[in-house]
Amino acid sequence: MSTLTAVPVVTEVAHAVACEVRDGLTANPKTLSPWLFYDEAGSNLFEEITRLPEYYLTRTERQIFTDHADDIVEQARGGRCLAIVELGAGTATKTGILLRAALRGQSRAVYQPIDVSPSALEEAREALEASFPGLTVRPNVANYVTEPLLIDRPPSSRVLALYIGSSIGNFTPTEARGILQNLRGQLVPGDALLLGTDLAPGEHKDEAALLDAYDDAAGVTAAFNRNILTRINADLGADFDAESFCHRAVWNAEASRIEMHLESTTRQTVYVPANAACSAITLEFEEGETIHTENSYKFTEANIGELLGDCGFTPEKVFTDAKDLFAVTLARAI
């Protein structure tokens, strides 16, 4: 008489995790998509990263918003009410600057944050609705990389879509175009996109500053990187020993990107049990073998214009800081 082993039922998110693990970790070299970072623990770690002294990106973009929010919003709205959509919103800590500016010109507004983290979206909804009378927050739990976008458009409104925080830099040029084309498919001519991009090394930014931003002295980025393995264990029942992998950040000048890797510190075997999404996987790691977990592409103004043009947008205005560390580009759907 045979014994049947039950195959666990997985959620839609766990199914996507299982498919990513199967495809990425059986490839050579091994890779994992950066969207896997953002479970609840990963989202919290990233929020901690944004407050680190080495991580200039968040505070620089926030200062650009502080300096130019009214100009950004007025140009985006073109005399109409704005509905604001944000891809990868997280807890939307910087977005409030733009929402405040929007509500200075209209009594009510709809904000639609899209993110894979339900807890981050709920935190954002509670905080923003408490802070901004007249703001309605309509969270959408979705993976904007792998799922179609659905945008609510209040009557007679113009949409301003936010893709900020240099999140676009986490994707290859082909993937980045796919994301923006997916977004463009939900917009109409005259809608606007606000795109945040980290700039390539220049007069005021060298490679060392870039590397420090992705390998901080306190080890928060290292914990963030290793949490991807903890998440796989939790979602799929795998047996990764996260502490047997070390964090590596390198600058790839030819591709103009920071790369993050997890490097195996020993020869080891990892088992991922079968589930409803895929069969069991046994993964062999050699000492020194890596999992490539993230790219963070760095842009020039010409790169940004080419990317937007390929996706159905035309740049209208670029806002930067005094040291040209970071750029925020307002573009129009055409």
Side-chain angles (χ1 to χ4, degrees):
M1 183 176 181
S2 63
T3 301
L4 298 178
T5 301
V7 177
V9 176
V10 295
T11 65
E12 184 177 348
V13 171
H15 185 280
V17 174
C19 292
E20 176 61 32
V21 168
R22 178 196 64 208
D23 295 343
L25 295 186
T26 59
N28 185 22
K30 293 179 172 67
T31 64
L32 288 170
S33 177
W35 66 261
L36 288 170
F37 285 131
Y38 297 99
D39 63 352
E40 183 173 359
S43 295
N44 290 336
L45 283 165
F46 183 71
E47 289 298 325
E48 188 175 347
I49 287 170
T50 65
R51 297 189 290 270
L52 293 169
E54 297 96 333
Y55 197 79
Y56 63 86
L57 291 82
T58 300
R59 64 175 175 270
T60 304
E61 187 178 44
R62 181 183 290 112
Q63 190 60 54
I64 292 171
F65 291 164
T66 300
D67 293 343
H68 301 289
D70 288 330
D71 191 6
I72 291 169
V73 165
E74 287 309 308
Q75 185 156 341
R77 80 163 91 238
R80 296 166 64 179
C81 287
L82 277 183
I84 297 177
V85 175
E86 183 172 2
L87 305 186
T91 56
T93 52
K94 287 176 293 188
T95 310
I97 300 169
L98 299 171
L99 295 173
R100 182 176 289 107
L103 286 166
R104 281 196 284 268
Q106 59 193 74
S107 60
R108 304 192 66 82
V110 174
Y111 170 58
Q112 301 167 64
I114 302 170
D115 199 272
V116 296
S117 173
S119 60
L121 288 176
E122 181 59 22
E123 181 181 340
R125 186 192 65 78
E126 291 179 356
L128 291 172
E129 289 189 340
S131 300
F132 299 107
L135 181 68
T136 299
V137 180
R138 297 176 181 166
N140 183 359
V141 179
N143 185 337
Y144 64 83
V145 178
T146 61
E147 299 175 28
L149 296 177
L150 297 175
I151 295 175
D152 292 332
R153 178 186 295 275
S156 302
S157 291
R158 176 164 282 163
V159 171
L160 170 60
L162 310 179
Y163 197 26
I164 57 179
S166 196
S167 297
I168 194 72
N170 292 147
F171 300 93
T172 67
T174 298
E175 291 167 337
R177 281 166 171 76
I179 290 167
L180 293 184
Q181 287 164 355
N182 185 27
L183 173 63
R184 176 62 186 85
Q186 295 298 314
L187 303 177
V188 300
D191 286 340
L193 166 66
L194 193 67
L195 183 68
T197 49
D198 195 21
L199 295 176
E203 181 181 356
H204 300 290
K205 181 199 291 187
D206 58 18
E207 293 178 16
L210 276 175
L211 288 168
D212 286 348
Y214 292 86
D215 193 11
D216 60 278
V220 181
T221 309
F224 173 72
N225 201 4
R226 282 194 292 266
N227 181 68
I228 205 170
L229 305 180
T230 304
R231 186 217 177 130
I232 293 170
N233 288 348
D235 284 6
L236 304 181
D239 62 356
F240 277 101
D241 176 8
E243 295 304 315
S244 68
F245 289 81
C246 62
H247 168 68
R248 292 283 181 263
V250 296
W251 169 242
N252 182 333
E254 183 178 358
S256 192
R257 71 189 187 197
I258 288 283
E259 297 176 0
M260 291 204 329
H261 298 259
L262 288 167
E263 181 180 315
S264 179
T265 59
T266 185
R267 188 175 183 180
Q268 56 183 304
T269 301
V270 176
Y271 180 70
V272 183
N275 54 54
C278 63
S279 58
I281 304 170
T282 300
L283 302 168
E284 302 290 344
F285 289 87
E286 297 296 327
E287 182 178 354
E289 186 177 2
T290 68
I291 305 170
H292 189 166
T293 55
E294 184 180 53
N295 292 319
S296 186
Y297 285 83
K298 308 305 173 185
F299 295 84
T300 65
E301 190 169 331
N303 297 151
I304 298 166
E306 181 181 358
L307 170 63
L308 290 167
D310 288 346
C311 300
F313 297 93
T314 184
E316 288 193 348
K317 191 167 185 178
V318 180
F319 303 87
T320 63
D321 59 287
K323 294 184 176 181
D324 286 330
L325 301 177
F326 199 95
V328 175
T329 303
L330 183 68
R332 190 74 58 183
I334 54 176

